[in-house]
Amino acid sequence: RTRQARIDGITVPDVEVDDPDHARTLVLGWGSTYGPVTAAVRRLRVAGLPVAQAHLRHLNPFPRNLGDVLRRYDKVVVPEMNLGQLATLIRAKYLVDAQSYTQVNGMPFKAAQLAQVIEEAIRNV
């Protein structure tokens, strides 16, 4: 309880969302996924597809506005360089059906690879 009280007292800035087109799909990244996610989102926007992007810099505690942000979107895609731990936390805490896309092979995501996954998510909303 003492440790949780300390964590609850930490002030974390709100998560900012890049959503110029009022998209229905949000790509939520964290850590090393920033570059590939940003490049993939840029590709999709150039192709005329609306997609929003947010990047978490704090995981414990999460930003206070994260739940409100997640609920604004019909679909949330979470690319992770692990087995999907963030998506699991998002599902448990916010009851959002986050679509996990994972890779564990020691290589970073490629923008084209992520763009394909995100495009499929957008088209299946």
Side-chain angles (χ1 to χ4, degrees), residues 13-93:
D14 284 348
V15 65
E16 296 179 15
V17 181
D18 177 18
D19 186 6
D21 301 316
H22 305 290
R24 295 173 58 197
T25 301
L26 171 71
V27 181
L28 181 66
W30 72 282
S32 65
T33 64
Y34 180 79
V37 166
T38 300
V41 166
R42 188 177 311 125
R43 284 179 186 213
L44 293 170
R45 287 179 182 164
V46 166
L49 294 172
V51 60
Q53 174 186 2
H55 191 78
L56 292 176
R57 300 196 183 282
H58 303 278
L59 299 177
N60 192 22
F62 282 127
R64 295 199 192 282
N65 71 331
L66 183 58
D68 293 333
V69 166
L70 295 171
R71 284 186 280 280
R72 290 195 318 236
Y73 296 92
D74 295 335
K75 186 159 288 187
V76 177
V77 179
V78 185
E80 298 184 72
M81 299 295 300
N82 57 39
L83 297 176
Q85 288 90 330
L86 177 59
T88 300
L89 291 172
I90 295 294
R91 286 186 199 112
K93 182 164 179 125

Side-chain angles (χ1 to χ4, degrees), residues 81-111:
M81 299 295 300
N82 57 39
L83 297 176
Q85 288 90 330
L86 177 59
T88 300
L89 291 172
I90 295 294
R91 286 186 199 112
K93 182 164 179 125
Y94 300 107
L95 302 178
V96 171
D97 186 22
Q99 178 183 335
S100 181
Y101 180 70
T102 64
Q103 177 173 296
V104 186
N105 64 7
M107 299 297 292
F109 284 120
K110 293 189 181 335

